[in-house]
């Protein structure tokens, strides 16, 4: 809550203020009435790592602590919104792998194949799930997703670091360096830095 001078009958009220991504377009007369003009910069490395961890906390993935650190590094210059888009796209990759798969292998609920479990052919056939795999995988058979009789058998693979690398292969930041310079310049002239 921030008091806004000159609004209302006296200076005792409080007013909730909103944020803008174009502060330089605020009318100078209005700008003078804002007691606080704070610039919130893009998230730094620890904040980006935290964003990735937080956005993925309820999903199944095979990411390690080192992977999250790498994601933080790869997302330099990204906003919180950019990180959210990357996460949503990466989480869709396992489904896309299923849609384009030509080969499948039987597995259990933890993505372990008969070979990993040390099972014979008869026991392998009893495994409850199918997951996409590359051609040549031991125990794999050729089939398209839409030819699988029981879709409930399909178990999409866990989201992995390669999914994020694939998504982040192109540009991920929606904030241009020129825009950041404009924010800094405006803050130096009219506001205060909110990063501390």
């Amino acid at each position: 809550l921030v008091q806004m001078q000159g609004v209302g009958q006296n200076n005792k009220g409080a007013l909730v203020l909103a944020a803008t991504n174009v502060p330089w377009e605020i009318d100078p007369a209005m700008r003078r009435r804002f007691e606080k003009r704070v610039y919130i910069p893009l998230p730094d490395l620890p904040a980006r790592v935290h964003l990735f961890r937080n956005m993925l906390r309820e999903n199944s993935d095979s990411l390690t602590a080192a992977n999250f650190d790498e994601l933080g590094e790869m997302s330099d210059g990204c906003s919180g919104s950019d990180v959210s888009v990357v996460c949503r796209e990466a989480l869709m990759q396992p489904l896309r792998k299923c849609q384009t798969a030509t080969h499948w292998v039987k597995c259990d609920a933890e993505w372990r194949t008969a070979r990993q479990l040390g099972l014979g052919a008869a026991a392998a056939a009893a495994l409850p799930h199918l997951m996409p795999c590359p051609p040549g995988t031991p125990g794999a058979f050729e089939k398209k997703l839409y030819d699988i009789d029981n879709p409930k058998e399909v178990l999409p693979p866990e989201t992995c670091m390669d999914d994020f690398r694939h998504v982040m292969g192109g540009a991920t930041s929606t904030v241009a360096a020129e825009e950041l310079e404009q924010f800094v310049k405006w803050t130096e002239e009219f506001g205060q830095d909110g990063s501390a």
Side-chain angles (χ1 to χ4, degrees), residues 7 13 23 56 68 100 102 111-113 121 126-127 136 138 153 156 160 162 166 182 188:
V7 175
L56 297 171
F68 280 107
T100 60
T102 59
W111 296 277
R112 294 176 300 186
T113 65
L127 288 172
E153 289 181 346
C160 64
D162 284 341
H166 175 76
Q182 196 171 1
E188 288 171 352

Side-chain angles (χ1 to χ4, degrees), residues 30 61 82 86 93-94 100 115 118 122 126 129 162 172 185 189:
M30 190 68 175
D61 63 68
D82 295 333
V86 166
Q93 292 303 308
T100 60
R115 184 173 185 163
H129 298 289
D162 284 341
T172 54
K185 182 179 176 187
E189 190 172 352

Side-chain angles (χ1 to χ4, degrees), residues 43-154:
D44 60 6
L45 177 61
R48 291 191 309 273
V49 170
H50 177 76
L51 284 170
F52 277 107
R53 285 185 183 280
N54 192 44
M55 290 179 191
L56 297 171
R57 73 182 182 276
E58 294 180 7
N59 296 286
S60 180
D61 63 68
S62 62
L63 300 179
T64 64
N67 291 148
F68 280 107
D69 291 341
E70 183 180 345
L71 287 172
E73 294 284 348
M74 291 170 65
S75 59
D76 186 30
C78 289
S79 67
S81 177
D82 295 333
V83 170
S84 177
V85 168
V86 166
C87 288
R88 283 196 307 272
E89 282 297 310
L91 289 170
M92 288 300 294
Q93 292 303 308
L95 296 177
R96 291 187 181 111
K97 289 175 190 173
C98 290
Q99 289 175 330
T100 60
T102 59
H103 289 74
W104 301 81
V105 67
K106 298 282 271 180
C107 67
D108 67 5
E110 296 173 3
W111 296 277
R112 294 176 300 186
T113 65
R115 184 173 185 163
Q116 292 168 322
L117 293 167
L119 302 177
L127 288 172
H129 298 289
L130 297 171
M131 71 173 177
C133 65
T137 301
F141 59 92
E142 189 172 355
K143 195 176 262 197
K144 300 277 188 187
L145 175 64
Y146 302 106
D147 295 329
I148 294 174
D149 296 329
N150 184 0
K152 292 182 179 178
E153 289 181 346
V154 174

